Amino acid sequence: MKVLTLSKKNATPFFEALKSFGKTYGPVEKGEKAYSFQPVESFSQLALDYKRTILPLKKFFYKPCQPVFHFNKDSGYQPAEEDLEEKIVLFGVHPCDINALNILDLVNSGPYVDNYYFVKRQNNLIIGISCMPDELCFCRSMSTDFAETGFDLFLSDIGDSYVVRVGTGIGDDMVNAVPDLFSPIDEESSRAYKDSSNERSAMFQRYIELSDLPEIMDLEFHSELWEKLGERCLACGSCSMICPTCNCYNIIDKLNLDQKTGERIRQWDSCLFKDFAEVSGGHNFRSKRASRVQQRYLHKQQGFVEQYGRPSCVGCGRCTMVCPAKIDIVEILHTIRGERNHRRRKSDRRR
Amino acid sequence: MPSPYDTLIRTPNPYQPRSARIVRITPLVKDNVLFQFRFEDEEFSREFSYKPGQFVELSIFGVGECPISISSSPTRKGFLELCVRRAGRVTNALYQLKENDLVGIRGPYGNGFPVAAMENKNLLLIAGGLGMAPIRSLLNYALDNRSDFHDVILMYGARDPGEVLFRNELETIRHRDDIKCLLTVDEASSEWDGYTGVVTELFKEVKLDAAATYAAVCGPPIVYKFVLKELLAQGFSKNHILMSLERKMKCGVGKCGHCSIGYKYTCIDGPIFTYWDAMNLRELI
């Protein structure tokens, strides 16, 4: 991979040069200690030391509520084509979110390609940025703390400058638009990169052992843990909405007042919602909240592994952050893996 | 001007419904009607092909979309038949439509019955109640390709004679000597000349070579409960027991998540599952 350095004092002119590649979005502060990807005009607006945004990047490719067809009683269903051509540059994306998009790419491809998702992915450029973990991050366990693919450029902060990995040909075009701003990597930068990498490794506070988690979840299928979790969970669906890889959706037809035309809309859905698995006639395959919470955990940590070879969780910590019932995924998975160990650790503390 | 979907993606939109016209409406039993459709696009209609056991997504203009299993056999071209029970919003809206009205249909979806693997085997088709809807597709497929299969046996149980789907057709089939067609009802009336009792009672009437037979089962949960037990007692391999299952579905193409069970999606990995699959996917039945 082509690797360069970009001095931080050159970041502003580089950011200006990016504008010719599309509308630029980046993390900005929104409210108190909350961040969001928003349109950004200048480099100084960016809050590049953010930990995580409220909503993940899926909002750009798969909107909370989006028309998929316009229908007309006489002419049938026409695919919705609103703002498809807009080219966007996402500046300052963390590795977990890049990996989440790689996972969504998998889900949306396969024998049936979701072209609503991919048409937007085609018009999108990603400039990643390195980050330091906080008390919620467990991306290291999920192997998503580093992005190997899925970015055009990736900037790693090494103090006064960034180490820049060039991931794609368009990434190279972005560099070549302002070649004088970049320098070849030197020994000093390389050392600084390694120091920063080691420093970061030591900072991870949370860890989940993944290796045989699917088997353990299988063994714990009838565990009373799920009942208890069902009693705590409010089934509000917040964790699904803010999850960077949750992609379940509902489809709703809206008829206009003329009774002739309307829209078929798709909107974010959650497996925690009561009617998620309810069929017409009233039978609900997951009427109990416990079975719905269990489905969420099993699909992310077990079913997805069997289907795609890895969990769909990227360890971003958003679900723990937003849960009104303070359900912590890492704690739940620890409990599943060995209730006795977990309890012993607590009792140790009491002693 | 070409759409960005065509220039950038170049694969067909899996969510695109096709206009289809209701050709014929045949009431079967109370709240169960057979709708025959023909696609408006003649070329598409000619090329439209499917496997028994697959389903389509039916759109009713302004109301919504829902999955319905196909009741016709792909051997009879040019039309598509769906046996629809009036159950929810979309099916209620369909019941308001008349012959010649337009609907949207996309598909076919799902794996369907593994008909190639079933060739040169005996077929034991077991349906309970509305489970006859997808089984009819396989039944007619087998009858139209009769030489591809050895013995064909149908066991169909309904609550009472007034609930027997496709009764006229089945009366004709009963008189054929190349298929054993056993009909039973829980509560017989004076005019009923079939069997009386639950569908598992019919096992007494046939001799089965389990090793050379595929069983295809569709019905309400109570049917699976007793039929599966009986099939295992008869020595059937779990891989030779096929079931057509129901789940909530929105997209039909493995994306929306509603029909997910474990690592399987009922819409693309099913709706036909072997008993072995079902045992490994704990929530399946």
Side-chain angles (χ1 to χ4, degrees):
Chain A
M1 193 176 278
K2 185 174 176 180
V3 184
L4 303 161
T5 58
L6 173 71
S7 165
K8 280 190 179 172
K9 64 177 192 303
N10 286 336
T12 298
F14 172 58
F15 186 85
E16 291 302 312
L18 288 176
K19 289 178 177 169
S20 64
F21 289 87
K23 188 171 179 180
T24 311
Y25 291 76
V28 296
E29 201 162 356
K30 198 177 183 184
E32 202 179 324
K33 283 187 189 166
Y35 299 90
S36 170
F37 266 90
Q38 295 294 334
V40 171
E41 289 302 319
S42 74
F43 187 79
S44 60
Q45 272 176 275
L46 294 165
L48 288 178
D49 58 346
Y50 79 109
K51 293 300 175 189
R52 59 184 66 70
T53 52
I54 305 165
L55 283 180
L57 298 181
K58 69 180 179 187
K59 70 174 183 178
F60 289 103
F61 310 105
Y62 162 54
K63 294 191 168 169
C65 188
Q66 136 186 21
V68 282
F69 287 102
H70 296 289
F71 54 72
N72 182 308
K73 206 162 192 161
D74 304 320
S75 54
Y77 297 79
Q78 292 298 321
E81 296 188 348
E82 284 87 351
D83 40 85
L84 290 183
E85 307 277 17
E86 187 187 40
K87 293 200 185 307
I88 60 170
V89 179
L90 299 176
F91 191 100
V93 183
H94 285 171
C96 60
D97 282 342
I98 292 174
N99 281 299
L101 287 179
N102 292 344
I103 287 172
L104 286 181
D105 287 354
L106 278 177
V107 174
N108 284 297
S109 55
Y112 298 99
V113 177
D114 191 303
N115 43 20
Y116 296 96
Y117 171 84
F118 277 108
V119 83
K120 289 190 174 282
R121 280 287 273 155
Q122 301 261 0
N123 281 328
N124 146 250
L125 299 173
I126 288 183
I127 299 176
I129 196 147
S130 61
C131 47
M132 290 297 177
D134 69 1
E135 71 286 354
L136 294 178
C137 298
F138 57 105
C139 50
R140 173 61 54 99
S141 308
M142 292 293 161
S143 306
T144 50
D145 61 316
F146 182 79
E148 285 173 54
T149 57
F151 57 85
D152 298 285
L153 293 177
F154 194 95
L155 314 182
S156 297
D157 192 334
I158 54 163
D160 294 336
S161 58
Y162 297 106
V163 169
V164 182
R165 285 188 287 147
V166 185
T168 63
I170 301 177
D172 198 42
D173 291 347
M174 290 193 270
V175 169
N176 289 332
V178 277
D180 297 343
L181 301 180
F182 293 86
S183 319
I185 187 143
D186 54 22
E187 219 171 286
E188 194 189 330
S189 309
S190 181
R191 200 180 313 117
Y193 181 90
K194 286 189 285 185
D195 288 345
S196 151
S197 170
N198 291 333
E199 184 196 339
R200 181 169 180 256
S201 290
M203 283 175 73
F204 285 98
Q205 302 168 38
R206 319 205 81 195
Y207 191 74
I208 298 172
E209 176 58 47
L210 275 190
S211 63
D212 50 3
L213 188 58
E215 287 75 12
I216 288 174
M217 297 197 89
D218 213 31
L219 295 173
E220 296 299 314
F221 189 85
H222 296 293
S223 164
E224 58 172 9
L225 165 101
W226 302 114
E227 287 297 327
K228 287 186 196 155
L229 197 53
E231 281 163 25
R232 279 175 71 190
C233 173
L234 306 174
C236 67
S238 297
C239 52
S240 307
M241 302 302 138
I242 53 73
C243 176
T245 63
C246 267
N247 66 302
C248 287
Y249 61 79
N250 195 6
I251 298 179
I252 292 163
D253 280 11
K254 282 191 176 163
L255 190 60
N256 293 335
L257 284 175
D258 63 8
Q259 301 284 299
K260 244 180 83 68
T261 59
E263 281 181 331
R264 175 162 288 176
I265 286 165
R266 86 163 158 199
Q267 65 181 34
W268 292 357
D269 204 347
S270 168
C271 54
L272 294 168
F273 292 162
K274 192 167 188 184
D275 62 352
F276 189 77
E278 186 182 290
V279 291
S280 55
H283 182 71
N284 193 338
F285 287 91
R286 292 198 190 94
S287 58
K288 289 177 70 182
R289 216 182 311 155
S291 69
R292 300 199 294 275
V293 189
Q294 185 178 27
Q295 160 67 11
R296 187 176 148 80
Y297 277 81
L298 287 183
H299 187 244
K300 289 228 171 273
Q301 308 290 348
Q302 182 191 42
F304 206 86
V305 182
E306 291 183 60
Q307 197 179 3
Y308 294 107
R310 61 149 299 130
S312 65
C313 174
V314 295
C316 69
R318 285 185 178 94
C319 54
T320 307
M321 178 179 78
V322 301
C323 181
K326 308 240 180 299
I327 294 171
D328 175 355
I329 180 171
V330 175
E331 209 178 286
I332 300 297
L333 294 177
H334 275 308
T335 311
I336 291 170
R337 285 201 68 91
E339 228 164 352
R340 216 180 303 151
N341 278 343
H342 198 53
R343 247 185 252 138
R344 195 181 295 153
R345 228 179 289 142
K346 275 184 187 163
S347 59
D348 284 348
R349 234 177 284 149
R350 273 202 297 272
R351 251 181 255 144
Chain B
M1 207 181 85
S3 144
Y5 293 117
D6 302 328
T7 53
L8 285 170
I9 306 298
R10 295 166 206 237
T11 55
N13 185 345
Y15 306 111
Q16 177 72 55
R18 298 277 187 155
S19 289
R21 205 169 282 281
I22 301 176
V23 183
R24 194 184 302 157
I25 299 177
T26 315
L28 296 174
V29 303
K30 184 177 180 291
D31 284 341
N32 275 280
V33 168
L34 185 71
F35 291 88
Q36 193 181 75
F37 302 93
R38 197 189 305 276
F39 288 103
E40 286 287 272
D41 182 334
E42 277 182 33
E43 196 189 332
F44 185 80
S45 188
R46 264 198 309 278
E47 285 170 9
F48 187 79
S49 185
Y50 53 93
K51 273 163 74 177
Q54 288 193 295
F55 66 94
V56 292
E57 288 278 351
L58 171 74
S59 280
I60 304 298
F61 175 80
V63 179
E65 204 176 31
C66 72
I68 308 274
S69 66
I70 302 174
S71 282
S72 48
S73 162
T75 46
R76 303 175 190 185
K77 294 228 172 269
F79 64 86
L80 182 74
E81 285 176 343
L82 307 178
C83 172
V84 183
R85 179 184 176 202
R86 184 206 288 256
R89 223 162 22 85
V90 177
T91 52
N92 265 302
L94 174 67
Y95 271 62
Q96 306 302 315
L97 299 184
K98 297 180 293 295
E99 286 175 2
N100 221 26
D101 282 347
L102 282 175
V103 299
I105 292 177
R106 60 188 177 93
Y109 298 124
N111 55 358
F113 287 103
V115 283
M118 295 159 89
E119 283 178 13
N120 300 314
K121 294 275 196 295
N122 304 316
L123 299 188
L124 172 61
L125 313 180
I126 305 174
L130 304 174
M132 194 58 215
I135 292 293
R136 178 191 182 238
S137 178
L138 183 58
L139 173 69
N140 284 335
Y141 179 88
L143 292 176
D144 291 347
N145 295 293
R146 190 61 194 84
S147 59
D148 290 349
F149 305 96
H150 293 155
D151 296 351
V152 179
I153 303 167
L154 171 71
M155 296 179 178
Y156 175 30
R159 201 172 300 150
D160 57 64
E163 295 273 299
V164 176
L165 293 174
F166 307 108
R167 192 161 169 195
N168 292 343
E169 270 177 55
L170 293 173
E171 283 300 332
T172 313
I173 291 171
R174 261 171 90 183
H175 295 103
R176 286 174 67 147
D177 52 13
D178 59 350
I179 169 171
K180 201 160 188 157
C181 175
L182 307 173
L183 309 180
T184 186
V185 292
D186 296 345
E187 289 165 42
S189 58
S190 56
E191 49 92 37
W192 179 251
D193 65 344
Y195 295 87
T196 308
V198 293
V199 75
T200 40
E201 294 281 316
L202 297 173
F203 279 91
K204 285 189 293 203
E205 307 298 325
V206 292
K207 269 186 93 86
L208 294 166
D209 174 7
T213 307
Y214 266 98
V217 192
C218 189
I222 188 86
V223 165
Y224 289 114
K225 194 173 167 195
F226 291 105
V227 167
L228 295 174
K229 209 167 145 191
E230 184 61 38
L231 289 170
L232 291 182
Q234 297 271 345
F236 273 81
S237 153
K238 295 187 187 77
N239 277 325
H240 278 202
I241 302 175
L242 306 162
M243 309 182 293
S244 176
L245 297 180
E246 181 195 17
R247 273 294 182 283
K248 169 125 163 187
M249 292 175 191
K250 283 287 177 179
C251 70
V253 294
K255 312 289 184 207
C256 79
H258 287 264
C259 70
S260 147
I261 310 167
Y263 60 101
K264 302 273 189 190
Y265 290 96
T266 313
C267 65
I268 50 174
D269 301 310
I272 310 300
F273 289 98
T274 66
Y275 189 26
W276 175 251
D277 288 330
M279 290 181 71
N280 283 291
L281 295 165
R282 306 197 207 212
E283 289 181 283
L284 201 58
I285 47 171

